Amino acid sequence: MATTKVSTDVIDMSGNTGGLTWVKGTSADRPAGTLGELRENTTTKKTEIYTDETGTAEWRNLKQSNISFQVDFLVVGGGGGGGGTASDAPGGGGAGGLITSFGSNSGGGASSDPALNLYKSTEYTVTIGAGGPGGVGKNYGSDGENSVIHTIIATGGGGGGTSESSASDDQGKTGGSAGGSGTGTSASTRPSTAAVNNPVQGYAGGASVGTPNKIGGGGGGAGETGNTDGQGHGGDGLEVNIIGGTGNYYAGGGGGGKFGSSDLIPGGEGGGGDSPATDNGTGGAGSANTGGGGGAAKRKAAGGDQNGGAGGSGVVILRYTTADVSSFSVTGTLNTPSPVADGSSSSIKFTTGTGTVTFS
């Protein structure tokens, strides 16, 4: 159609209370372009201008500040270490706390959180919590470390109790999910440990028993209390398929130790470490980037000190509409993830380190 040129310096439309409608079309509809042309791109939902600001003439998005977009997230803290032992039956490590906006539930039966509203060109802190070391000899397992994205903090799991007849050591530790309790010679049973945390992120550890066989309590998981599937079994975690596919479980509790036996006591689904079938064996480690609790040590009579398994490291996964983000950058010791496409969305998975992420 014919082009109408306006030669005046100022176009005054102040008397019109409506809006000015730009030419619009898809990315495929773009014309060859003349410097200064403006159009609304119905594919990207952005206003774009034909410019050579980079030294090459091309269509680029019109610069805007404080552009917000929504991001779903999964944040799991590092798992607690399994209890060590010099005698009897220690407890499994508790799973890291689990908070998510993707799906129906966060850990401990809590409702899922709302998605994060983030802004472009803004740095957001990301930290991946390390798993807690297993108890060395007759010591309880250490707590896992917190994982963080912006304002969301998933608490590290509680360490598993030992078996030295001391209430302070036998009792599993509180955390995102709590460690299972151990049992010693003069304290045949220790109660389970509540997963004290606000907001709720996981379940309690299991209680230990002294008869007929001494078995430590299973570590709590994001999906259930330790011992739910059997004495000493780690609590199962939760399935959160934020990165696509199915069967992605996180935050299972570690298995409790069984004294004087070659039975394997399993950790919970979602990376919980087993207490081994091996006589006088080290507890199994929680799986990396699941926040699984470490398995308790195994000891038979006269077996000497045995160490608990380390908790699994945590994870932060972010999911956004692909059209909303053209790129991102990270700082610090964070890994630089490759986006995983899932329909119209993409997910990025942070597995190590601490630093910031900035979207553009």
Side-chain angles (χ1 to χ4, degrees):
M1 70 182 186
T3 299
T4 302
K5 294 186 176 181
V6 179
S7 59
T8 58
D9 291 337
V10 177
I11 299 174
D12 186 353
M13 294 185 293
S14 60
N16 192 320
T17 58
L20 180 63
T21 301
W22 293 109
V23 173
K24 55 184 178 289
T26 67
S27 294
D29 294 331
R30 285 170 173 162
T34 300
L35 291 180
E37 275 191 281
L38 286 169
R39 68 190 297 271
E40 183 72 15
N41 190 318
T42 57
T43 301
T44 64
K45 314 300 183 187
K46 298 181 184 298
T47 302
E48 56 188 12
I49 185 171
Y50 195 77
T51 178
D52 66 349
E53 66 172 318
T54 62
T56 301
E58 60 183 344
W59 287 102
R60 294 177 63 86
N61 293 334
L62 194 65
K63 289 186 177 179
Q64 296 171 286
S65 61
N66 292 328
I67 303 173
S68 67
F69 61 103
Q70 288 200 318
V71 174
D72 278 307
F73 60 86
L74 168 66
V75 188
V76 183
T85 186
S87 62
D88 302 313
L98 185 155
I99 310 176
T100 186
S101 65
F102 191 86
S104 57
N105 289 105
S106 289
S111 298
S112 57
D113 277 31
L116 285 170
N117 195 47
L118 303 184
Y119 289 88
K120 295 187 177 182
S121 303
T122 301
E123 292 186 338
Y124 294 100
T125 298
V126 179
T127 299
I128 307 303
V136 177
K138 57 182 181 180
N139 294 301
Y140 54 80
S142 297
D143 297 343
E145 297 180 358
N146 299 346
S147 292
V148 178
I149 171 64
H150 190 33
T151 58
I152 306 299
I153 302 173
T155 305
T162 184
S163 52
E164 298 310 304
S165 306
S166 165
S168 61
D169 289 347
D170 285 1
Q171 191 82 351
K173 305 305 176 183
T174 60
S177 292
S181 295
T183 181
T185 53
S186 63
S188 60
T189 300
R190 291 291 187 194
S192 60
T193 305
V196 177
N197 194 65
N198 186 17
V200 174
Q201 301 177 6
Y203 282 93
S208 61
V209 297
T211 56
N213 298 300
K214 295 176 181 177
I215 308 176
E224 64 183 17
T225 303
N227 296 353
T228 296
D229 300 322
Q231 178 60 41
H233 290 220
D236 288 338
L238 287 176
E239 182 180 12
V240 185
N241 297 313
I242 188 171
I243 203 163
T246 60
N248 297 301
Y249 281 84
Y250 302 88
K258 184 175 182 180
F259 177 72
S261 166
S262 296
D263 295 339
L264 181 146
I265 305 296
E269 187 168 20
D274 300 331
S275 182
T278 306
D279 294 346
N280 304 316
T282 298
S287 298
N289 302 129
T290 66
K298 173 66 64 65
R299 183 180 184 275
K300 293 192 76 172
D305 290 0
Q306 304 298 329
N307 301 334
S313 55
V315 71
V316 172
I317 302 176
L318 305 179
R319 182 183 177 100
Y320 51 84
T321 300
T322 305
D324 286 342
V325 175
S326 58
S327 63
F328 63 90
S329 60
V330 301
T331 67
T333 58
L334 284 175
N335 65 295
T336 301
S338 298
V340 177
D342 182 21
S344 62
S345 298
S346 294
S347 298
I348 52 177
K349 183 177 182 178
F350 294 101
T351 57
T352 57
T354 185
T356 65
V357 60
T358 303
F359 294 93
S360 58

